[in-house]
Every structure is written in structure tokens, then in C-alpha cells.
Amino acid sequence: MSGCGSWLNRRCCCRRQSQGTYIYLYSPPMGSSSSLFHCLTCILCGFCLAFILILTAIIIYNMNNTNIILTSKSNPDQHIYPIAKKRQLQDFVNINIDPCENFYDFVCDKWTQEKKVDIYNDEEEYQQKWTRIRHKIHDKLMINMSNNQPKSSENNFSSTALSVSTLYQLCETQSPSLLLDELERYFALFIQQEPYRSYSTLFNQTTVLHSKSIPITFDYNPFFKLIHSSSNNTDYSFSTILRINRRPLPSPLVILPNLAVLNQTALSNLIKFDNDYTKFLKQANNSIKLYEQEYNQNSLIIKRILLYPNYHLCISSLNETNGFKKLIQLLNYFLRYRLRKFNTKLMDKQIRILEKITNNDTRVEHLRRIQSEFKVLENIIPLENQSIDDNSSCILNLLDKLLDKRMKIYELSPDINFYSPNRTIKYFTSNDWPYLIMLYNHLLKTTPADTLTNFVFFDYYRHLIYPYYQPHIHRSIDFDINYRNESYENLYETYYPNISCPINSCFDILNCYHSSLLIQSLAENNQISLSSIQTIVENLITHFRLIIEQSDHLYIKEKQLLINELNQIKIFIGHYESSTVYSLPDIQSTSYLKYAQLFSSISYDQYDYSFSIEPIYNTINHTLLLPYGFIYLSNHSIEYPLTRFFLKILFQTIRSNPFSIECLIKSFDDFNSTITDISDEHITYLLFRSKFLFENNIIFDEYLWPFMSANSLIKRFLIDYTANNYCQSLNDYHLFLNNTYLNDDVYLVFHCQQASSIRQSKCSVI
């Protein structure tokens, strides 16, 4: 009233109007025209000011109120909602739909390719998500081809990534019939090579010509993998034998085309051997216990020591008959002459202990320790007598020979055969001798050579057909190209039972059998961005921990259980363990067969859920896996599905809902208490809303008041939340309909007619 007080000296009076505007009235003294003029001027200025303020308020109100409500549908381009136009959302939302009538279609109409349906099921939902993953990865792998770029390392792609993308592109684009013809022509020539030409197989009736004394060899070995050392000296070269992590494959009856034209005897023997081999592999972990003690690495070394015949070459005066005792005599000789002037009690004790040790592993460990100490002694203590020095050197060389991990074939088992094509290799190493000996004794030794040869040929064929040609077999029915003028439908069986990860597409080849290679390829050039995922998950855990700590709804013990569960979570992104980094050669070929051969030579990946569409939580070891498939599907908003998933983890911890929803105000005519819904969807939404309000410093009253800027922010939040979380699948539409709290906010914030019937608002999670 200070302004009015200054006018009282001029006999002006002041009245406050309901709009908050001051109107000044002036009572001039009689006969004063000048005072009358000033009073009229004051009145006119007051009216003008009031008019401007009222007009401004009306404009602001209409701008907020017409953000969503269309004033006219005759020319929509002239009535685009300001929020949509300002954020260039006319390409994002459907501005011809009234959000108060159908907010979902207003936001999602231009997003949703699949229209919402009234009935859906989990299988349809899963299939839709899986299709989206395949489409995303397909676009990544086809990028060179779609951009007409040459496949070279100049485009910042490694040779491994180029091989992966080339295999996929050839698989996707080349004619299935031509690819199958190329494969069959290759095997028609392959069967003419040795040893397949000289043995009875599926495709010939050849009588075995080779003598049994001549061992057969295979370049492709389905039983174990041989890796040759690169040394040129045959005395130092060796082969390392590894057990093959055998991939699940269909049976011969399912794989082979046109069974009637095959050698029926060879087919029968093949089926029997394949069944026997499969049975052997299933029982191997139990049967191997009988071989572990006798054929582990150290037991074989002790066996070599016991049977070694040439100890006398070092010292001819040995009088023991047992090989191990002869070795102890040699060790004592070395010690006595090398340390004749020194105290030898410590070394003597180690040698004497050898006779008392019965465990082969401990024996070999002590011998290696003695070997190491003897070599040190040889270097620091010279000998004057040359003959003694020669004997000492002989003993050290003998120790090296006896303790060598490399084995000769005769040291393992009589007549054992590793089918190695390199005949110059004398030595072999392996960390799996018990399995290899058991495989040979139980299966390979008793199987005729023609059956083994037949199986090797068939298994090589099978490893290419499945998985690398399986998509082409499925699709080849649609093609007429065939040099035999026969239908491929009659040649190939397309159903493979008992396969955990079936192959129906080119993507399935990489996903089921080479997921680590696929991940390695996609990870290049930030095609899979994982930098922020770990931070998002950790922040969510911190947010839940804070809510639980501040909750008045939970008992102290319940809080402790929930917080302990959150603290124990170990996060794995993409896969459980870091995959092996492969370095594949860039063979730069247009032949799909060349790439299929390259990939078939790589150990396959066991299906580890890298592209699953949902997180996986192990309650026993508290590991949380976020597969790449889940990350791909959640690239718009990973926090939403993660929040829902964390709610499930917490619900399972205390077997009840740890959260409650509290509404601060209700409608004025609601005198009865209202039971609030506390479903996962509602809690998730309210958690997101409270986070948004906190980050934007918005209080509850602001976003309901049309003159506040917070109103527009909340409109943006509602649009973004719906777009990111509800516009991408059939099931999401039903989640949106059931989210009553979100719909209440839509009615309130967009000033819809339904707002008058809202019974609760300003709700939060406690």
C-alpha cells in the first residue's frame, strides 16, 4: 500500500481488485481543471495496465493449455502443438490425435509398426523381441555391403571382423542352391583322396587294400586336435594333443541325403559307431576315474623311470634292479662327487625322502626340485676329473630325459595311433592323457579301419552342413537351380531333434556356435557401447539402497536383508567371462565354402546366453548377467527394464513387497481411504517420476499449475517415458493401459476433462 499512500497527498484513493491490480481514483478540488486532467490520465493508465496483465495471463494459459488439445482439425499444420513443434516432434508424435482421448497413439502411432492387439501371448512377445535383435545385428554385419564399401582393413575393421561379416554377407546374399552345389562338388572330389578312396565308405564299395601294419592318417580328426610345434629340429619338435569340445550335431540319419543310394553296410556301421561315440562322450566323466591314476602326466613319468633300460650308460656299476632305485643311486653318485668337500646333509635328506614317497605327483615334484638344484651345483662347483664330470653331465641329461613331459607313443599304450599325417613327429604332449588313452582303448582300437575312415569323412561333411549350410537347406526349397534337376526338399532333412540351439538363419550360425566372434566383431568401432551400462546399474543399486534405508515401511531386519542382497550383486555385462580374443586371417575370398571351413576349424562356443533378451540373476552366487541381446533391446532406456528386474530380485528376498505407495493428497470429495495399487509397473513409474522431479528441482504443486514452466517439463517427461518404455512391443500396450498413475498424470498435466474424476495424485514410493 506504499504506492497508494503517496497518492493520498493528492487525495487519491486506492482499491484492490480481485485480479491483484490497483485502480486509483482521484477527487479533485472544485475548480481545478489541471488536477482533473491528471486524475483522468491516472485512470486511463491503470485500465491499460490491467488490460495488458489480463491479456498476458490469457495468452500464457492458452499456450500451456493448447500444447496438446487441437483447436481445429481443418488444417493441422497451422495448429501443431507448441511442445511438439518446439522439439521438432511432428515426426515423432501424431499431432492429429488428441492425447486426452488416446495418449498411447498420440506418442506411439508413428513408432509402432505392429498395431496393438487385444490378445497376446508370451511366445509372440518373445518372437517379436528376438526378431528385433536379429534385425539390429543384421544391419551391423551388412554395413560394408549396404554402403558399397570394399571389405578391407582400411575401413578400421580387423581381419576377424571382416571374416565374420563376410561369412554372414555371403550366407545372406548368395543363392542357397549354388552354395549347396559347391559343397557337394567339393566332397565329390574329397572322397577321391586318401585314405577315403581306399576304404569302404558310404559312397563306394572298395575292399580295404592297405595292410593293417600301415596306420591310417587324417588331416581332419574328429576325436582330438593336434597342434604341431614350429621347431625345425625333429628332436625338439612335438605335437600337443587336445580333447575336442565336441559340438552337438544331428545323427547320420538326419544329415545324410537320399539314403537309398548309399553303401548300406557302411551306413549301418557308421550309425552304430556314431551311437557308440555319443554314448562314450556322455559317460566319459565317470569312466575316466579308472584311468586318472595310471595315466596322468606324473604317473606316466614314474612309469618311464621304472622301465628305462639304459641307466648303466651313465655308470656301469649300478647294482639295483628297480629303475627308480637305479635313479637314486645315480643321484647319490652325483651328490657325492660334486659336493665331496661340502656338507651334503640337506641334499641327502631330499634323496632319501624319495624312497619313502608313494604318491607319484609328490615324487615327480621332488625330482624336479633336485634336478633344479643339481644344475645350480654344476654351474658353481667345477670338477677336476673329466670322467667324473662326464658322468655328472650324463646324470643331468638323463634327469632331463626322464622328467620330460613329452611322451613317445610306445610309452603310452601298445599300438596306439593318433592318426597324425606328420610322420616325423616323435613326441606328444597333453594335459588330458587319461581321456585319450580311454578313448583309444574303449573305442578306437576295437573299430575297423574302414569304419573309422567312413566316420571321419562323414563327420567332416556333417560339421560343414551343420550349422553353416543349414539356413541354405531350409531356403533352397524356394529355388529351382539344381544341376541334378532334383528337388532339394527330397535330398535334405530340415528337422534336427535334440539340438539346444537350432539353426534356422545365418544369424543363428554366429549366435549358437560363434557368439564370442560375433561379440568381438560388433564391439569394434563402438558398435556395442558398454561404457555407461556399468554406471547405470551401479547408480540404480545405490538408488534402491537409499530408498530402503529411508523407508518407514520396512522392519530393520528386512532392510538388512535387502541391502545385503544389493551389496552382494556381481555385475557381468554381455557374458559371464571374458571371451577368447581370436585373430582370424582375412582370406579375401568370395567362396562361402572357404569361410565355412575356416570357422569350422575353430572351437565352437557353448551357448552362454550372450544374446538373451532378459537379464539373468543367479540367487546362489548373486551374479547378474546383462546379455548383449538385452542391451540391444534396451538401447532407448535400459533403466526401465533394469528397475523392474531389481524389483523382482528384492521381492524374492523377503517374499513380500518391500515397497508401498503413499498419496499425499486426494480429491476433495473423497472422504473414504483409497487402497493404492503397488504393482511393479506403478512402482517403476513413480520411481522414475520422483527422480525426474528431483533432477529438475520441481515440487509437486508446480507441475499441476499451468503458469509454471514445470508443466511443460512434465509433459515432456510423460511423452519420453511412454515412447521409451511402451511403444515397442505388443505387451507394452497393456502395461501402459494398466499404469493408472501415469494416465492420471496425463489427465492432470494436459488438463483433460478426466482430471475432475481423478481420486488420487501426488503419489510416491515409500
Side-chain angles (χ1 to χ4, degrees), residues 358-416:
T358 57
N359 181 273
N360 290 337
D361 295 332
T362 308
R363 275 182 173 183
V364 174
E365 181 183 351
H366 270 72
L367 283 172
R368 293 193 189 281
R369 188 181 299 116
I370 292 172
Q371 176 191 30
S372 177
E373 292 178 356
F374 276 15
K375 287 184 177 181
V376 173
L377 293 176
E378 184 186 38
N379 293 328
I380 64 176
I381 302 177
L383 287 174
E384 299 176 358
N385 190 318
Q386 182 63 41
S387 62
I388 296 176
D389 190 43
D390 291 341
N391 291 339
S392 298
S393 298
C394 178
I395 293 171
L396 289 177
N397 292 333
L398 179 60
L399 270 178
D400 290 340
K401 185 176 183 180
L402 294 176
L403 297 178
D404 192 352
K405 291 184 177 181
R406 300 177 303 167
M407 295 287 167
K408 290 187 176 181
I409 288 183
Y410 70 83
E411 295 178 312
L412 299 169
S413 180
D415 302 324
I416 193 171

Side-chain angles (χ1 to χ4, degrees), residues 26 146 167 247 292 358 401 410 543 650 654 691 700:
Y26 174 64
S146 62
L167 173 81
R247 66 182 60 174
E292 285 177 342
T358 57
K401 185 176 183 180
Y410 70 83
H543 185 55
L650 295 175
I654 61 174
K691 179 184 176 184
F700 276 117

Side-chain angles (χ1 to χ4, degrees), residues 557-585:
K557 289 186 177 180
E558 290 178 328
K559 289 184 178 182
Q560 291 175 345
L561 286 173
L562 294 172
I563 292 175
N564 287 339
E565 185 70 25
L566 291 174
N567 291 339
Q568 293 181 81
I569 293 177
K570 297 182 286 291
I571 305 166
F572 294 88
I573 298 178
H575 43 78
Y576 286 111
E577 301 293 341
S578 57
S579 299
T580 303
V581 177
Y582 290 94
S583 180
L584 298 183

